[in-house]
Each structure stands twice: as structure tokens, then as C-alpha cells.
Amino acid sequence: MTNNPAPQKFVVTTPLYYVNDVPHIGSAYTTLAADALIRWQRLQGNSALLITGTDEHGQKIERTAISKDLAPQEHCDQIVVSFKSLWEQLNIQYDRFSRTTASEHKVIVDQFFERVWEKGDIYLDQQQGWYCVACEEFKEERELTEDKHCQIHTNKKAEWRDEENYFFRLSKYQKQLEAIYADNPEFIQPVARRNEVLNFVAQGLQDFSISRVNLDWGFPISQDPKHTIYVWFDALLGYLTALLEPDQEANLELALSQGWPIDLHLIGKDILRFHAVYWPAMLLSAELPIPKRVFGHGFLTKDGLKMGKSLGNTLNPFELLDKYGSDAVRYYFLRAIEFGKDGDFNESRFVDLLNADLAKNLGNLLNRTLGMLNKYCQGNGPQLKQEDYPDHDSLKTIGSNLGSQVAIAYQDLQFKQACEAILELANASNKYIDDHAPWVLFKEGKQEEIEHVLYAVLESIRLAAYLLSPIVPNLSNAIYQQLGFSCNFNELTQLSAAPVFAQHSRWGHLPANLNLNKARPVFTQLELSSVVSDS
RNA sequence: CGCGGGAUAGAGCAGUCUGGUAGCUCGUCGGGCUCAUAACCCGAAGGCCAAUGGUUCAAAUCCAUUUCCCGCUACCA
């Protein structure tokens, strides 16, 4: 369906976040995971595009703006600033920030709507049904209790609604969707999420309303301007708009040629249904290919409790970043939590984990090794090569397998496993030093052996830093710089060549005659002082 | 019969799909080392893997039943 084959590009999206309020930790979580993936792609020399943005229409936004005595657009503009600022503090390298109020987006939405309209999949009908205001959703009879209460909101009775809406023929696509799920088992991940969707679809799909009346803040439907397009229909299309280059003409075909279908929609589990059911159906209707993968990750809790304003235990991402820095925050959420499952934030665990892994295991390892080089080798880099190590050498063994192991983990979004595997090399290196005791070798005057040991360790540190760079780019920079490299993991152009990846991801790459820099702690231990408070 | 997630050492978790000596991090206790960010290495204590029943030569893992916990009432990923 796409024309003009553009260079192959790995495209990942975060949700377009709803601008009802300033960003919260959950948005940060999704986004930092997406960023790590994109960085991993770029590290390998692949062309990659990270799409994020904001979803700005809908009644809720309109009401929020009014309550702040602002025009809706002014309100959105303010919130957008805070999102962009958070992404900057989190060291997110996004390529597109797609706003659903952008003028290009209007064109894309019109053109897409037109396709679906021409297909005959949109029809006008009376929306009749039980509406749960708390859910903002129409409910099936079977979803309600006998006295018409929503099962989630048992304290609120569903309301009978009867209004004119446009509908999308979702029901028409049930069979096709089921075939897609069956033929593409990788489409919805993780498996538990996939099962939920399968279950939902198997119960039968109902057409859903895609327009609202009596709502100004949204795109009017060209065919019938008193209707406004339902916010979700509009928001999902934001992914398409985002494919356009910043100064490119707004045109659906053009957008599609720039990287469609998208490789991965990274989302929270709450919006899975929209991405795994409604969105593919909309695309089928428009005769477009569907995205390759939708991954619904888990939710975060704080100290075991759901975060919420009512509980007053929200975790302010800005404060967290101010206090600990982007690397620490990125590392914690990717390392401490099984991606896909719910995970907990606990500040003392946060400090423990960061100190144990980054400050002590890896950071101190570099520090002690460089210290010994200065003391025992006058700071000269060892002059050895991979071939000088027997195959049973523990670091060589672990290091040689690490690159491919970590590649698989990143590919499967198993960030935790990637971190664990990498840290194992650091751990083995600390042991390696103790086992070989360079300080003893020094007293015995065994200079060559000292260099032999230190090279292996230094190389292991380098490899660990390289493979961790998608997650903790600043730390990796600091390590690489102390090792005498001049590259910068935040400036990907210098590292984007595939041959570089082939070399750097292999154990044994460290060249001789390194221009080693002075040993300085690359990651200072964190202290648990006052607990990050509610905003 | 609402939907979903969970119950494994003091704490937090992996392992469950593809049955076969129960593992990781932090913490605790003891020892070692001295190159280092009070770091690093070694060792130990600590688990009837929620319960019951079943399948099997063998079950944390498969099947059945049960108990308990947590979300789903919006800031929401």
C-alpha cells in the first residue's frame, strides 16, 4: 500500500499523551522505555524514528481549560511545554512531537475519514444505550448489573442515552481481526495482554460511535460539521501525521510512505483495546497495513500502593529527576521492573539498586582498575589482544556471548534481563581482579600478568558501558571518556555506522595504547535523604 | 460465576509456557583482601514455592477445587 519505498526505518511510538494535566511518572515510564529501544536501534546503525506527542481534543480538555480560565489551545500549549521539558530532563531523543491540534493533522484526519467514509464503514444512527458517565463509555446490557449499574462503578447507575452519532462498523471486521491475531501471534504483547484482547474480541464486537455532538473542541466532520470527531479516532491518527517531515506537505499518502507500518506501539495496558482492536480495524477499513507490534506494559505503584491524587502519593517525575538525574531514573525503571508487568517504586530500593549496580559494581570497578593501571603500569594502557586469552578465560567467555544475548533481550523488550546480563560481566570482573590479585603480582614483579588481567577487566567495563548506553547514556559516556574514547552516546551520528557496532559490541575490541584518563568516580553513590514528596 | 494481576528466604523479585538438584538483588552474621566510590571477594543463616486433591518415576512448574491480597470509582501509561 505504501509507495516510494523510503530507507528502512524502525519506528516506535509512545502514546500521544492526553494533556489534561502535566505529565506524570507513568508517561515518563513509557517514554523512557521507548527511548532506550530507539537508542538501541541507532547504536546498531539502524535508522530509527521515535514518535511521541500529545492528544489535545475532547470535552475533558475543554472543561479543564475553562476551569483555568484559558482558551483550550492556550491550555494545551502550556501543558505541551511541560511535556517537552520533561523529555529533555529525561534525556529523551524523540524525533517527532505530534500534536493532534496541528493543522497538518486536520488534513490527515480528513483524508483518512474520507477513505473510511467511502468504504461505507461510517453511518449515522441513534446512539441508544446505557452510558456509564464514570467510564465515559457505552455499556452492553450484559456488562451491567440487573438494576443497570456498571460493574466497575457500582455506586453509579448507568444513564440511558439517545442521540445522533456517526458509527464505525467495527463489527464488520471481527473475523479479519481474529485472523490477524491468529496469523501474527507477535502482534499483541505480552502474552497475557494478547489473551485479554482475544477474549474481548471473541465476545463479539459492537460498532462504536466516532462522533460527538455539542462539542466544540475537536475536528468537525467535513461531511456533517455539526459533529465533532471522537477524540480517540482523532488521536490514533496522530501516529500517521507524525510520520511527516516537519516541513512536508500534509498528505496521507506521503505520510504513509515515510515509515508505515509502524514497528511498535508502546503503550500502557489501559489503552490496549484502542490500539489492538479499534485501531487495526480502522486501518483495515482504510485498506492500510496494520502496525507490526503493540506492547502494553504494566502500571507503576508506589510503596505497593496505587498512585493517585486522592491518596496523595503521586511520584513527581520532575522532582525525581532533579534529585537523582536521568540515568538513575531510566535505569531503575528498566532494571527493577519486569517490563510488561506492574512494578513498584520504592525510594530506598531505588537508592540501593543504583548504588549496588552502577556505583559499586560497575563504577567502582572502573575506578579501582584505572587506579591499578596508574599505580602498576604508569597509566599506560595494556598492549594485549583478545587472542591472548584462552577460551576458558571467564571474562572472555562471558563477554563473547554478551552482545548477542543482550541484543535478544532488547529485541524482546526485556530490559531487566539485558541489565542483569550486563551486570554479570561487571560482577565477574570484580571477582576476576580478586582471583588474580594484581597487587600480589606487582610485588612479584609480574608486569605482563598484571597487564593481562587489567586489559581483560577494562575491556569488560567498556563492553558493559557500550551495551548499557541505550539505558544510561551519560554514564556510558563518562566510562568511555575515561577509557580514552572521544565518542558521545548522546550524539548518535558519530556512532551510527553499523561497522562500529560490530566492533564495539564484541569483547576484545579495546585497542592498545589507550589514552586513559584519570580515575574519577563515574557514578557517585546516592543518598536516601528526604523522600520525594507529592507535588 | 464481572475483568485483570498476584501469593516463592526479613524485604523486593525471577523461575511456571517447554515438569527433573529452589535462584537473584538488598538486608543480617562470619571470614578474607587492600587496587578502589566505607569498595571488592568468599562463606553462612534464612523457603514444607498460599491451601487441598489429582496426573507423573518426578510438580513452584501441568490439571481441578479453595483461601487470601491488589487494581479496575481518573491524574492517568
Side-chain angles (χ1 to χ4, degrees):
Chain A
M1 197 45 70
T2 56
N3 46 22
N4 300 339
Q8 203 173 354
K9 191 157 47 173
F10 190 82
V11 185
V12 177
T13 71
T14 74
L16 303 188
Y17 300 107
Y18 207 49
V19 291
N20 197 44
D21 204 350
V22 294
H24 52 78
I25 194 71
S27 320
Y29 181 46
T30 315
T31 307
L32 66 88
D35 182 66
L37 271 181
I38 281 292
R39 285 175 182 263
W40 171 248
Q41 289 296 329
R42 291 187 180 135
L43 194 66
Q44 294 172 92
N46 297 335
S47 167
L49 191 75
L50 175 54
I51 292 172
T52 188
T54 44
D55 173 14
E56 309 185 3
H57 286 133
Q59 185 141 43
K60 182 171 265 183
I61 302 298
E62 193 176 43
R63 263 190 258 128
T64 305
I66 289 168
S67 75
K68 289 167 71 182
D69 209 16
L70 292 171
Q73 191 64 64
E74 287 176 321
H75 163 76
C76 294
D77 291 349
Q78 286 182 7
I79 299 292
V80 162
V81 169
S82 67
F83 271 93
K84 287 185 172 172
S85 141
L86 182 61
W87 301 156
E88 188 177 337
Q89 287 184 56
L90 244 188
N91 202 1
I92 304 297
Q93 299 191 318
Y94 62 87
D95 300 280
R96 298 291 152 73
F97 194 101
S98 185
R99 300 184 58 176
T100 58
T101 51
S103 57
E104 311 88 78
H105 186 55
K106 169 90 171 76
V107 178
I108 299 294
V109 170
D110 276 347
Q111 291 181 359
F112 189 95
F113 195 92
E114 175 70 17
R115 282 199 187 205
V116 178
W117 179 274
E118 288 301 318
K119 191 75 179 289
D121 286 339
I122 293 172
Y123 63 94
L124 189 63
D125 199 2
Q126 287 297 114
Q127 169 71 281
Q128 292 184 323
W130 295 98
Y131 194 77
C132 174
V133 179
C135 293
E136 295 280 14
E137 254 181 17
F138 281 94
K139 298 287 178 180
E140 308 295 327
E141 288 274 354
R142 63 176 154 78
E143 290 181 298
L144 297 174
T145 61
E146 276 186 17
D147 55 348
K148 306 304 176 199
H149 282 75
C150 158
Q151 283 161 352
I152 298 169
H153 308 96
T154 47
N155 55 340
K156 284 179 188 166
K157 194 164 183 175
E159 299 168 13
W160 180 256
R161 289 282 176 88
D162 187 353
E163 62 184 43
E164 191 179 65
N165 279 176
Y166 282 98
F167 284 78
F168 172 70
R169 290 189 205 279
L170 180 65
S171 57
K172 176 178 161 187
Y173 293 98
Q174 172 153 355
K175 287 279 180 299
Q176 281 183 66
L177 286 172
E178 285 174 334
I180 285 168
Y181 302 145
D183 296 343
N184 304 280
E186 308 288 297
F187 176 50
I188 304 166
Q189 292 182 340
V191 177
R193 300 273 105 79
R194 174 181 144 83
N195 292 337
E196 281 176 39
V197 171
L198 259 39
N199 239 320
F200 170 72
V201 174
Q203 288 175 38
L205 294 176
Q206 310 288 322
D207 296 348
F208 69 99
S209 140
I210 54 164
S211 77
R212 294 287 184 269
V213 285
N214 309 319
L215 173 63
D216 293 331
W217 188 235
F219 291 137
I221 292 177
S222 305
Q223 290 83 349
D224 188 351
K226 67 177 181 291
H227 285 263
T228 312
I229 291 186
Y230 176 44
V231 60
W232 263 110
F233 196 91
D234 156 6
L236 289 163
L237 293 170
Y239 297 134
L240 277 170
T241 305
L243 289 169
L244 293 167
E245 302 280 348
D247 50 354
Q248 224 166 6
E249 174 204 354
N251 175 293
L252 183 56
E253 284 296 337
L254 196 55
L256 288 165
S257 70
Q258 306 288 312
W260 192 262
I262 275 161
D263 291 272
L264 173 66
H265 286 308
L266 206 55
I267 56 172
K269 64 181 183 182
D270 55 332
I271 52 175
L272 184 66
R273 194 177 289 186
F274 293 100
H275 287 80
V277 182
Y278 295 7
W279 181 220
M282 286 162 59
L283 290 162
L284 286 171
S285 173
E287 298 182 7
L288 297 174
I290 63 162
K292 293 179 190 159
R293 183 152 64 140
V294 175
F295 190 102
H297 66 67
F299 273 16
L300 301 176
T301 55
K302 187 176 174 196
D303 304 320
L305 297 171
K306 174 183 160 54
M307 284 183 232
K309 284 189 175 168
S310 48
L311 273 175
N313 68 338
T314 54
L315 179 61
N316 183 325
F318 292 97
E319 275 185 40
L320 193 64
L321 283 162
D322 276 347
K323 196 167 170 187
Y324 297 112
S326 62
D327 275 1
V329 172
R330 295 165 64 102
Y331 188 78
Y332 178 84
F333 286 113
L334 295 179
R335 160 67 222 262
I337 296 165
E338 189 78 14
F339 200 65
K341 293 193 177 180
D342 288 356
D344 190 52
F345 174 87
N346 172 276
E347 192 159 358
S348 93
R349 179 156 175 255
F350 180 97
V351 169
D352 277 349
L353 187 66
L354 270 291
N355 285 345
D357 282 5
L358 301 188
K360 299 175 185 175
N361 199 346
L362 184 59
N364 179 59
L365 174 65
L366 174 63
N367 204 237
R368 65 191 298 213
T369 309
L370 285 180
M372 285 186 277
L373 273 160
N374 280 323
K375 208 163 199 171
Y376 305 145
C377 312
Q378 292 76 48
N380 292 323
Q383 308 279 319
L384 295 156
K385 291 233 158 50
Q386 187 192 10
E387 300 80 69
D388 299 330
Y389 292 83
D391 287 340
H392 60 77
D393 182 277
S394 65
L395 295 188
K396 183 179 181 179
T397 304
I398 298 174
S400 302
N401 296 319
L402 194 60
S404 54
Q405 198 182 337
V406 169
I408 291 168
Y410 274 118
Q411 168 74 30
D412 294 344
L413 281 61
Q414 307 260 287
F415 300 107
K416 181 180 179 171
Q417 284 76 355
C419 292
E420 280 173 353
I422 295 166
L423 262 292
E424 199 181 317
L425 181 60
N427 191 50
S429 299
N430 275 312
K431 183 173 165 54
Y432 195 83
I433 292 176
D434 271 51
D435 287 348
H436 293 87
W439 45 93
V440 173
L441 298 174
F442 182 66
K443 284 178 191 151
E444 295 169 349
K446 295 175 174 168
Q447 194 63 27
E448 271 186 31
E449 285 186 41
I450 293 176
E451 289 180 6
H452 189 268
V453 170
L454 295 184
Y455 172 90
V457 173
L458 226 44
E459 168 59 357
S460 299
I461 297 168
R462 183 206 61 76
L463 181 61
Y466 187 76
L467 295 174
L468 275 180
S469 68
I471 296 173
V472 285
N474 294 338
L475 174 62
S476 295
N477 273 343
I479 293 175
Y480 254 59
Q481 275 157 23
Q482 266 184 44
L483 292 178
F485 291 92
S486 60
C487 68
N488 182 346
F489 289 102
N490 287 315
E491 289 170 17
L492 298 150
T493 47
Q494 291 179 36
L495 282 156
S496 60
V500 173
F501 178 79
Q503 278 197 329
H504 280 243
S505 64
R506 259 183 59 240
W507 194 88
H509 162 72
L510 195 70
N513 293 316
L514 284 167
N515 189 15
L516 297 173
N517 281 307
K518 201 173 166 201
R520 273 184 299 112
V522 285
F523 192 96
T524 358
Q525 295 208 35
L526 306 175
E527 278 181 45
L528 181 60
S529 46
S530 63
V531 165
V532 169
S533 64
D534 176 26
S535 58

